[in-house]
Amino acid sequence: DPTPEEQAAAKEVKRIYADACRLERDRGKLAPRVFGRRLALLKDRLLDLGSRDFQSATWKRLSARILKYRNELLTFVEFPGVPADNNHAERMIRPNVIFRKISFQNMSRKGADAHEVLMSLLQSLRLQGRTAIPFFKTAYLKHRQGNPIPLLSC
């Protein structure tokens, strides 16, 4: 059961996020000076929240993170086109997380490193609409022949 302090802090985080989303949405309707002033006020609210001395260990940890990342937390407000959440990134890594879970992770650091590289390559190929097998076949043959491995397009 959350304490009143924890409930109040959670409510304040939700308010700041809602106000940030509203400010981002209204960007084009506001004069640049007004937008900048409201953004500065949001940053001040984050600074205040991150600087509080909480009794709860969870909120002590969260407030330290808010304080540490307060400049990055509002990136989506400052720069048009940056999403307010990371849902896309979460969906992108989900298949790899599931694979790692059902395969009982990796048995060595070297295996984990290889898995990371392969999953990164696979995801990049998917995003480019390319098939993995031909790419890996070409890369393997070029490597065996001592030639440069093909690069992924940027």
Side-chain angles (χ1 to χ4, degrees):
D1 291 325
T3 65
E5 174 191 58
E6 293 170 328
Q7 289 175 344
K11 191 174 185 178
E12 180 62 18
V13 168
K14 288 177 185 178
R15 278 192 200 129
I16 292 171
Y17 180 69
D19 291 346
C21 289
R22 191 176 312 108
L23 180 60
E24 191 273 332
R25 186 187 65 232
D26 294 342
R27 169 194 311 279
K29 300 174 190 172
L30 300 172
R33 192 169 152 167
V34 173
F35 179 83
R37 190 173 59 239
R38 289 184 184 174
L39 180 60
L41 288 171
L42 281 172
K43 288 182 177 183
D44 288 345
R45 288 168 62 191
L46 282 175
L47 178 61
D48 177 58
L49 186 63
S51 301
R52 287 189 201 155
D53 185 26
F54 289 100
Q55 298 300 311
S56 159
T58 299
W59 275 97
K60 281 183 183 184
R61 189 176 73 252
L62 287 172
S63 68
R65 288 180 65 91
I66 289 169
L67 192 59
K68 182 176 180 180
Y69 296 107
R70 70 185 182 278
N71 294 321
E72 291 85 1
L73 289 172
L74 297 174
T75 299
F76 75 98
V77 179
E78 292 186 70
F79 301 99
V82 175
D85 58 42
N86 67 344
N87 290 343
H88 179 70
E90 293 287 338
R91 285 190 300 273
M92 298 296 287
I93 66 169
R94 183 167 171 68
N96 298 324
V97 171
I98 291 170
F99 174 80
R100 190 181 68 223
K101 184 176 180 178
I102 62 174
S103 66
F104 302 105
Q105 300 188 4
N106 301 102
M107 301 307 256
S108 68
R109 181 73 248 163
K110 190 174 178 181
D113 291 343
H115 182 252
E116 287 173 9
V117 170
L118 287 172
M119 292 301 110
S120 179
L121 284 168
L122 283 171
Q123 193 61 41
S124 295
L125 290 166
R126 278 188 204 125
L127 288 171
Q128 294 176 8
R130 295 169 63 188
T131 309
I133 300 298
F135 174 83
F136 284 120
K137 181 180 176 183
T138 302
Y140 174 73
L141 291 173
K142 288 191 177 241
H143 173 73
R144 294 282 296 177
Q145 296 166 354
N147 296 321
I149 297 172
L151 299 175
L152 294 173
S153 332
C154 295

Short mmCIF file of all heavy atoms in Angstrom, two decimals, residues 12-66:
data_model
loop_
_atom_site.label_atom_id
_atom_site.label_comp_id
_atom_site.label_asym_id
_atom_site.label_seq_id
_atom_site.Cartn_x
_atom_site.Cartn_y
_atom_site.Cartn_z
N GLU A 12 2.14 13.86 -8.65
CA GLU A 12 2.91 14.97 -9.21
C GLU A 12 3.62 14.55 -10.50
O GLU A 12 3.64 15.31 -11.47
CB GLU A 12 3.93 15.48 -8.18
CG GLU A 12 4.79 16.62 -8.68
CD GLU A 12 4.02 17.88 -9.03
OE1 GLU A 12 2.86 18.05 -8.59
OE2 GLU A 12 4.58 18.72 -9.77
N VAL A 13 4.16 13.34 -10.55
CA VAL A 13 4.80 12.85 -11.78
C VAL A 13 3.77 12.80 -12.90
O VAL A 13 4.05 13.22 -14.03
CB VAL A 13 5.44 11.46 -11.55
CG1 VAL A 13 5.84 10.82 -12.87
CG2 VAL A 13 6.65 11.59 -10.65
N LYS A 14 2.58 12.29 -12.61
CA LYS A 14 1.53 12.21 -13.63
C LYS A 14 1.13 13.60 -14.12
O LYS A 14 0.90 13.80 -15.32
CB LYS A 14 0.30 11.48 -13.07
CG LYS A 14 0.53 9.99 -12.90
CD LYS A 14 -0.67 9.32 -12.27
CE LYS A 14 -0.40 7.86 -12.00
NZ LYS A 14 -1.53 7.20 -11.34
N ARG A 15 1.05 14.56 -13.21
CA ARG A 15 0.71 15.94 -13.61
C ARG A 15 1.79 16.53 -14.51
O ARG A 15 1.48 17.18 -15.51
CB ARG A 15 0.55 16.82 -12.37
CG ARG A 15 -0.77 16.71 -11.70
CD ARG A 15 -0.89 17.85 -10.67
NE ARG A 15 -1.91 17.51 -9.71
CZ ARG A 15 -1.76 17.56 -8.38
NH1 ARG A 15 -0.61 17.94 -7.86
NH2 ARG A 15 -2.73 17.25 -7.59
N ILE A 16 3.04 16.34 -14.13
CA ILE A 16 4.14 16.88 -14.93
C ILE A 16 4.11 16.26 -16.33
O ILE A 16 4.25 16.96 -17.34
CB ILE A 16 5.51 16.65 -14.25
CG1 ILE A 16 5.61 17.50 -12.98
CG2 ILE A 16 6.66 16.95 -15.20
CD1 ILE A 16 6.83 17.17 -12.10
N TYR A 17 3.91 14.95 -16.39
CA TYR A 17 3.87 14.28 -17.70
C TYR A 17 2.69 14.78 -18.54
O TYR A 17 2.84 15.08 -19.72
CB TYR A 17 3.79 12.76 -17.50
CG TYR A 17 3.74 11.99 -18.80
CD1 TYR A 17 4.85 11.95 -19.65
CD2 TYR A 17 2.59 11.32 -19.19
CE1 TYR A 17 4.80 11.25 -20.85
CE2 TYR A 17 2.54 10.62 -20.38
CZ TYR A 17 3.64 10.59 -21.20
OH TYR A 17 3.60 9.90 -22.39
N ALA A 18 1.52 14.91 -17.92
CA ALA A 18 0.34 15.39 -18.64
C ALA A 18 0.57 16.82 -19.13
O ALA A 18 0.23 17.16 -20.28
CB ALA A 18 -0.90 15.32 -17.75
N ASP A 19 1.17 17.66 -18.29
CA ASP A 19 1.45 19.04 -18.70
C ASP A 19 2.49 19.08 -19.82
O ASP A 19 2.39 19.91 -20.73
CB ASP A 19 1.92 19.87 -17.50
CG ASP A 19 0.82 20.11 -16.48
OD1 ASP A 19 -0.36 19.88 -16.81
OD2 ASP A 19 1.15 20.52 -15.34
N ALA A 20 3.48 18.20 -19.77
CA ALA A 20 4.49 18.14 -20.82
C ALA A 20 3.86 17.70 -22.13
O ALA A 20 4.16 18.28 -23.19
CB ALA A 20 5.62 17.19 -20.41
N CYS A 21 2.99 16.71 -22.09
CA CYS A 21 2.30 16.25 -23.31
C CYS A 21 1.43 17.36 -23.88
O CYS A 21 1.39 17.56 -25.10
CB CYS A 21 1.47 15.01 -23.02
SG CYS A 21 2.44 13.53 -22.71
N ARG A 22 0.75 18.09 -23.01
CA ARG A 22 -0.10 19.20 -23.46
C ARG A 22 0.76 20.30 -24.10
O ARG A 22 0.42 20.83 -25.15
CB ARG A 22 -0.90 19.76 -22.28
CG ARG A 22 -2.00 20.71 -22.67
CD ARG A 22 -2.85 21.18 -21.48
NE ARG A 22 -3.30 20.08 -20.64
CZ ARG A 22 -2.82 19.81 -19.40
NH1 ARG A 22 -1.91 20.57 -18.86
NH2 ARG A 22 -3.29 18.79 -18.70
N LEU A 23 1.89 20.62 -23.48
CA LEU A 23 2.77 21.65 -24.02
C LEU A 23 3.32 21.22 -25.38
O LEU A 23 3.35 22.01 -26.32
CB LEU A 23 3.92 21.93 -23.05
CG LEU A 23 4.92 23.00 -23.48
CD1 LEU A 23 4.24 24.34 -23.70
CD2 LEU A 23 6.03 23.11 -22.45
N GLU A 24 3.70 19.96 -25.49
CA GLU A 24 4.21 19.44 -26.77
C GLU A 24 3.13 19.53 -27.85
O GLU A 24 3.40 19.92 -28.97
CB GLU A 24 4.70 18.00 -26.59
CG GLU A 24 5.48 17.45 -27.75
CD GLU A 24 4.60 16.83 -28.81
OE1 GLU A 24 3.51 16.34 -28.46
OE2 GLU A 24 5.01 16.83 -29.98
N ARG A 25 1.92 19.18 -27.48
CA ARG A 25 0.80 19.21 -28.43
C ARG A 25 0.49 20.64 -28.87
O ARG A 25 0.13 20.88 -30.03
CB ARG A 25 -0.42 18.58 -27.77
CG ARG A 25 -1.62 18.43 -28.70
CD ARG A 25 -2.86 17.96 -27.97
NE ARG A 25 -3.29 18.97 -27.02
CZ ARG A 25 -3.55 18.74 -25.73
NH1 ARG A 25 -3.43 17.53 -25.24
NH2 ARG A 25 -3.92 19.71 -24.92
N ASP A 26 0.62 21.61 -27.95
CA ASP A 26 0.28 23.00 -28.24
C ASP A 26 1.46 23.81 -28.76
O ASP A 26 1.35 25.04 -28.90
CB ASP A 26 -0.29 23.67 -26.98
CG ASP A 26 -1.61 23.07 -26.55
OD1 ASP A 26 -2.25 22.40 -27.38
OD2 ASP A 26 -2.00 23.27 -25.38
N ARG A 27 2.56 23.18 -29.06
CA ARG A 27 3.78 23.87 -29.51
C ARG A 27 3.49 24.92 -30.59
O ARG A 27 3.91 26.06 -30.49
CB ARG A 27 4.79 22.86 -30.04
CG ARG A 27 5.97 23.46 -30.76
CD ARG A 27 6.76 22.44 -31.55
NE ARG A 27 7.08 21.27 -30.79
CZ ARG A 27 8.09 21.18 -29.94
NH1 ARG A 27 8.87 22.19 -29.75
NH2 ARG A 27 8.30 20.06 -29.28
N GLY A 28 2.79 24.54 -31.63
CA GLY A 28 2.52 25.44 -32.75
C GLY A 28 1.57 26.57 -32.43
O GLY A 28 1.52 27.58 -33.14
N LYS A 29 0.79 26.43 -31.37
CA LYS A 29 -0.20 27.45 -31.01
C LYS A 29 0.39 28.54 -30.11
O LYS A 29 -0.23 29.57 -29.92
CB LYS A 29 -1.37 26.80 -30.28
CG LYS A 29 -2.11 25.76 -31.10
CD LYS A 29 -3.16 25.08 -30.24
CE LYS A 29 -3.75 23.87 -30.94
NZ LYS A 29 -4.62 23.10 -30.06
N LEU A 30 1.56 28.28 -29.55
CA LEU A 30 2.15 29.20 -28.59
C LEU A 30 3.30 29.99 -29.21
O LEU A 30 4.03 29.47 -30.05
CB LEU A 30 2.69 28.43 -27.38
CG LEU A 30 1.69 27.60 -26.58
CD1 LEU A 30 2.40 26.74 -25.56
CD2 LEU A 30 0.69 28.51 -25.89
N ALA A 31 3.45 31.21 -28.75
CA ALA A 31 4.61 32.00 -29.16
C ALA A 31 5.87 31.32 -28.61
O ALA A 31 5.82 30.72 -27.53
CB ALA A 31 4.49 33.42 -28.60
N PRO A 32 6.97 31.38 -29.33
CA PRO A 32 8.20 30.72 -28.87
C PRO A 32 8.61 31.12 -27.45
O PRO A 32 9.07 30.28 -26.68
CB PRO A 32 9.26 31.16 -29.89
CG PRO A 32 8.49 31.46 -31.12
CD PRO A 32 7.17 31.99 -30.65
N ARG A 33 8.41 32.37 -27.11
CA ARG A 33 8.78 32.84 -25.77
C ARG A 33 7.91 32.19 -24.70
O ARG A 33 8.39 31.77 -23.65
CB ARG A 33 8.64 34.35 -25.74
CG ARG A 33 9.23 34.98 -24.56
CD ARG A 33 9.26 36.46 -24.76
NE ARG A 33 9.19 37.09 -23.46
CZ ARG A 33 9.44 38.34 -23.24
NH1 ARG A 33 9.75 39.13 -24.25
NH2 ARG A 33 9.36 38.85 -22.04
N VAL A 34 6.61 32.09 -24.97
CA VAL A 34 5.67 31.45 -24.03
C VAL A 34 6.01 29.97 -23.89
O VAL A 34 6.06 29.42 -22.79
CB VAL A 34 4.21 31.64 -24.49
CG1 VAL A 34 3.24 30.85 -23.63
CG2 VAL A 34 3.85 33.12 -24.49
N PHE A 35 6.27 29.32 -25.05
CA PHE A 35 6.64 27.91 -25.03
C PHE A 35 7.89 27.70 -24.19
O PHE A 35 7.94 26.81 -23.34
CB PHE A 35 6.87 27.42 -26.47
CG PHE A 35 7.27 25.98 -26.56
CD1 PHE A 35 6.32 24.98 -26.54
CD2 PHE A 35 8.61 25.63 -26.66
CE1 PHE A 35 6.68 23.64 -26.63
CE2 PHE A 35 8.99 24.30 -26.74
CZ PHE A 35 8.03 23.31 -26.73
N GLY A 36 8.90 28.52 -24.41
CA GLY A 36 10.16 28.40 -23.66
C GLY A 36 9.97 28.60 -22.17
O GLY A 36 10.56 27.89 -21.35
N ARG A 37 9.12 29.56 -21.80
CA ARG A 37 8.87 29.82 -20.39
C ARG A 37 8.16 28.64 -19.74
O ARG A 37 8.50 28.21 -18.64
CB ARG A 37 8.05 31.10 -20.23
CG ARG A 37 7.93 31.57 -18.79
CD ARG A 37 7.27 32.93 -18.64
NE ARG A 37 5.92 32.94 -19.19
CZ ARG A 37 5.51 33.74 -20.18
NH1 ARG A 37 6.33 34.60 -20.73
NH2 ARG A 37 4.27 33.68 -20.61
N ARG A 38 7.18 28.07 -20.45
CA ARG A 38 6.46 26.92 -19.89
C ARG A 38 7.36 25.69 -19.79
O ARG A 38 7.26 24.92 -18.84
CB ARG A 38 5.22 26.62 -20.73
CG ARG A 38 4.16 27.69 -20.55
CD ARG A 38 2.89 27.38 -21.28
NE ARG A 38 1.94 28.47 -21.15
CZ ARG A 38 0.80 28.51 -21.78
NH1 ARG A 38 0.42 27.52 -22.58
NH2 ARG A 38 -0.02 29.54 -21.62
N LEU A 39 8.23 25.52 -20.75
CA LEU A 39 9.19 24.41 -20.70
C LEU A 39 10.13 24.58 -19.51
O LEU A 39 10.41 23.62 -18.78
CB LEU A 39 9.98 24.32 -22.01
CG LEU A 39 11.02 23.23 -22.10
CD1 LEU A 39 10.39 21.84 -21.93
CD2 LEU A 39 11.75 23.30 -23.45
N ALA A 40 10.58 25.79 -19.27
CA ALA A 40 11.46 26.07 -18.12
C ALA A 40 10.74 25.77 -16.81
O ALA A 40 11.33 25.23 -15.87
CB ALA A 40 11.93 27.52 -18.17
N LEU A 41 9.45 26.10 -16.74
CA LEU A 41 8.67 25.80 -15.54
C LEU A 41 8.56 24.29 -15.31
O LEU A 41 8.64 23.81 -14.17
CB LEU A 41 7.27 26.42 -15.62
CG LEU A 41 7.21 27.94 -15.48
CD1 LEU A 41 5.81 28.45 -15.80
CD2 LEU A 41 7.65 28.37 -14.09
N LEU A 42 8.37 23.53 -16.39
CA LEU A 42 8.32 22.07 -16.26
C LEU A 42 9.66 21.54 -15.74
O LEU A 42 9.69 20.65 -14.88
CB LEU A 42 8.00 21.42 -17.61
CG LEU A 42 6.55 21.42 -18.04
CD1 LEU A 42 6.43 20.91 -19.48
CD2 LEU A 42 5.70 20.57 -17.11
N LYS A 43 10.74 22.07 -16.27
CA LYS A 43 12.08 21.63 -15.81
C LYS A 43 12.28 21.98 -14.34
O LYS A 43 12.87 21.19 -13.60
CB LYS A 43 13.16 22.27 -16.67
CG LYS A 43 13.23 21.69 -18.06
CD LYS A 43 14.36 22.32 -18.86
CE LYS A 43 14.46 21.67 -20.23
NZ LYS A 43 15.59 22.21 -21.00
N ASP A 44 11.78 23.14 -13.92
CA ASP A 44 11.87 23.51 -12.51
C ASP A 44 11.08 22.54 -11.63
O ASP A 44 11.51 22.19 -10.53
CB ASP A 44 11.36 24.94 -12.29
CG ASP A 44 12.30 25.99 -12.84
OD1 ASP A 44 13.47 25.66 -13.14
OD2 ASP A 44 11.86 27.15 -12.99
N ARG A 45 9.91 22.13 -12.12
CA ARG A 45 9.10 21.17 -11.36
C ARG A 45 9.82 19.83 -11.22
O ARG A 45 9.77 19.19 -10.17
CB ARG A 45 7.73 20.99 -12.02
CG ARG A 45 6.83 22.22 -11.83
CD ARG A 45 5.60 22.19 -12.70
NE ARG A 45 4.73 21.07 -12.42
CZ ARG A 45 3.71 20.72 -13.20
NH1 ARG A 45 3.43 21.43 -14.30
NH2 ARG A 45 2.95 19.70 -12.90
N LEU A 46 10.49 19.41 -12.30
CA LEU A 46 11.28 18.17 -12.22
C LEU A 46 12.43 18.32 -11.24
O LEU A 46 12.73 17.41 -10.46
CB LEU A 46 11.81 17.77 -13.60
CG LEU A 46 10.84 17.11 -14.54
CD1 LEU A 46 11.49 16.91 -15.91
CD2 LEU A 46 10.34 15.78 -13.99
N LEU A 47 13.09 19.47 -11.27
CA LEU A 47 14.19 19.72 -10.34
C LEU A 47 13.69 19.68 -8.90
O LEU A 47 14.32 19.07 -8.03
CB LEU A 47 14.83 21.08 -10.65
CG LEU A 47 15.98 21.51 -9.74
CD1 LEU A 47 17.13 20.51 -9.81
CD2 LEU A 47 16.45 22.91 -10.11
N ASP A 48 12.54 20.29 -8.66
CA ASP A 48 11.95 20.29 -7.32
C ASP A 48 11.63 18.86 -6.87
O ASP A 48 11.96 18.46 -5.76
CB ASP A 48 10.68 21.15 -7.30
CG ASP A 48 9.99 21.11 -5.96
OD1 ASP A 48 10.63 21.47 -4.95
OD2 ASP A 48 8.81 20.70 -5.91
N LEU A 49 11.00 18.10 -7.75
CA LEU A 49 10.65 16.72 -7.41
C LEU A 49 11.89 15.88 -7.17
O LEU A 49 11.95 15.09 -6.22
CB LEU A 49 9.80 16.10 -8.53
CG LEU A 49 9.23 14.72 -8.28
CD1 LEU A 49 8.26 14.73 -7.10
CD2 LEU A 49 8.53 14.20 -9.52
N GLY A 50 12.90 16.05 -8.00
CA GLY A 50 14.13 15.28 -7.85
C GLY A 50 14.95 15.67 -6.64
O GLY A 50 15.77 14.89 -6.16
N SER A 51 14.72 16.87 -6.11
CA SER A 51 15.49 17.37 -4.98
C SER A 51 14.83 17.10 -3.63
O SER A 51 15.43 17.40 -2.59
CB SER A 51 15.71 18.88 -5.13
OG SER A 51 16.39 19.16 -6.32
N ARG A 52 13.63 16.57 -3.65
CA ARG A 52 12.93 16.33 -2.38
C ARG A 52 13.59 15.22 -1.58
O ARG A 52 14.17 14.29 -2.14
CB ARG A 52 11.47 15.95 -2.64
CG ARG A 52 10.65 17.12 -3.08
CD ARG A 52 9.18 16.77 -3.11
NE ARG A 52 8.50 17.71 -3.99
CZ ARG A 52 7.38 17.46 -4.60
NH1 ARG A 52 6.76 16.31 -4.43
NH2 ARG A 52 6.83 18.37 -5.39
N ASP A 53 13.42 15.32 -0.27
CA ASP A 53 13.96 14.31 0.64
C ASP A 53 12.81 13.37 1.03
O ASP A 53 12.05 13.66 1.95
CB ASP A 53 14.55 14.98 1.88
CG ASP A 53 15.24 13.99 2.79
OD1 ASP A 53 15.69 12.94 2.29
OD2 ASP A 53 15.30 14.25 4.00
N PHE A 54 12.69 12.28 0.31
CA PHE A 54 11.62 11.32 0.55
C PHE A 54 11.99 10.35 1.67
O PHE A 54 13.17 10.03 1.84
CB PHE A 54 11.31 10.53 -0.73
CG PHE A 54 10.64 11.34 -1.80
CD1 PHE A 54 11.36 11.86 -2.86
CD2 PHE A 54 9.28 11.59 -1.75
CE1 PHE A 54 10.75 12.61 -3.84
CE2 PHE A 54 8.65 12.33 -2.73
CZ PHE A 54 9.39 12.85 -3.78
N GLN A 55 10.99 9.86 2.35
CA GLN A 55 11.19 8.83 3.37
C GLN A 55 11.24 7.44 2.72
O GLN A 55 11.97 6.57 3.15
CB GLN A 55 10.06 8.88 4.42
CG GLN A 55 10.00 10.18 5.19
CD GLN A 55 11.28 10.45 5.95
OE1 GLN A 55 11.79 9.59 6.65
NE2 GLN A 55 11.82 11.65 5.78
N SER A 56 10.47 7.27 1.68
CA SER A 56 10.36 6.00 0.98
C SER A 56 11.65 5.69 0.21
O SER A 56 12.16 6.53 -0.54
CB SER A 56 9.18 6.05 0.00
OG SER A 56 9.30 5.08 -1.00
N ALA A 57 12.17 4.48 0.38
CA ALA A 57 13.39 4.08 -0.34
C ALA A 57 13.16 4.09 -1.85
O ALA A 57 14.03 4.49 -2.62
CB ALA A 57 13.83 2.69 0.12
N THR A 58 11.97 3.66 -2.27
CA THR A 58 11.64 3.65 -3.70
C THR A 58 11.67 5.05 -4.27
O THR A 58 12.26 5.30 -5.32
CB THR A 58 10.25 3.02 -3.91
OG1 THR A 58 10.28 1.68 -3.42
CG2 THR A 58 9.87 3.02 -5.38
N TRP A 59 11.05 5.99 -3.55
CA TRP A 59 11.00 7.36 -4.06
C TRP A 59 12.33 8.08 -3.89
O TRP A 59 12.63 9.00 -4.65
CB TRP A 59 9.84 8.13 -3.44
CG TRP A 59 8.61 7.85 -4.23
CD1 TRP A 59 7.64 6.94 -3.95
CD2 TRP A 59 8.27 8.43 -5.49
NE1 TRP A 59 6.70 6.92 -4.95
CE2 TRP A 59 7.06 7.83 -5.91
CE3 TRP A 59 8.85 9.39 -6.30
CZ2 TRP A 59 6.44 8.17 -7.10
CZ3 TRP A 59 8.23 9.73 -7.49
CH2 TRP A 59 7.04 9.12 -7.88
N LYS A 60 13.15 7.68 -2.94
CA LYS A 60 14.51 8.23 -2.87
C LYS A 60 15.26 7.86 -4.15
O LYS A 60 15.95 8.69 -4.74
CB LYS A 60 15.25 7.68 -1.65
CG LYS A 60 14.88 8.36 -0.37
CD LYS A 60 15.69 7.82 0.78
CE LYS A 60 15.24 8.48 2.07
NZ LYS A 60 16.03 8.10 3.22
N ARG A 61 15.14 6.60 -4.56
CA ARG A 61 15.80 6.12 -5.78
C ARG A 61 15.23 6.82 -7.01
O ARG A 61 15.96 7.29 -7.88
CB ARG A 61 15.67 4.60 -5.88
CG ARG A 61 16.51 3.99 -6.98
CD ARG A 61 16.44 2.47 -7.00
NE ARG A 61 15.16 2.03 -7.51
CZ ARG A 61 14.17 1.48 -6.79
NH1 ARG A 61 14.34 1.27 -5.51
NH2 ARG A 61 13.04 1.12 -7.35
N LEU A 62 13.88 6.91 -7.09
CA LEU A 62 13.25 7.55 -8.24
C LEU A 62 13.57 9.04 -8.32
O LEU A 62 13.83 9.57 -9.41
CB LEU A 62 11.73 7.35 -8.19
CG LEU A 62 11.24 5.94 -8.52
CD1 LEU A 62 9.75 5.82 -8.24
CD2 LEU A 62 11.55 5.58 -9.95
N SER A 63 13.58 9.71 -7.18
CA SER A 63 13.89 11.14 -7.21
C SER A 63 15.34 11.37 -7.63
O SER A 63 15.63 12.34 -8.34
CB SER A 63 13.59 11.80 -5.86
OG SER A 63 14.49 11.35 -4.87
N ALA A 64 16.24 10.48 -7.25
CA ALA A 64 17.63 10.61 -7.69
C ALA A 64 17.73 10.43 -9.21
O ALA A 64 18.48 11.15 -9.88
CB ALA A 64 18.51 9.58 -6.98
N ARG A 65 16.95 9.51 -9.75
CA ARG A 65 16.94 9.30 -11.22
C ARG A 65 16.32 10.50 -11.93
O ARG A 65 16.78 10.92 -12.98
CB ARG A 65 16.21 8.02 -11.57
CG ARG A 65 16.99 6.77 -11.20
CD ARG A 65 16.23 5.51 -11.57
NE ARG A 65 16.07 5.39 -13.01
CZ ARG A 65 16.91 4.76 -13.82
NH1 ARG A 65 18.00 4.22 -13.34
NH2 ARG A 65 16.66 4.69 -15.11
N ILE A 66 15.25 11.04 -11.36
CA ILE A 66 14.62 12.23 -11.94
C ILE A 66 15.63 13.38 -11.96
O ILE A 66 15.76 14.09 -12.96
CB ILE A 66 13.34 12.61 -11.17
CG1 ILE A 66 12.23 11.59 -11.45
CG2 ILE A 66 12.88 14.02 -11.52
CD1 ILE A 66 11.01 11.72 -10.56
#
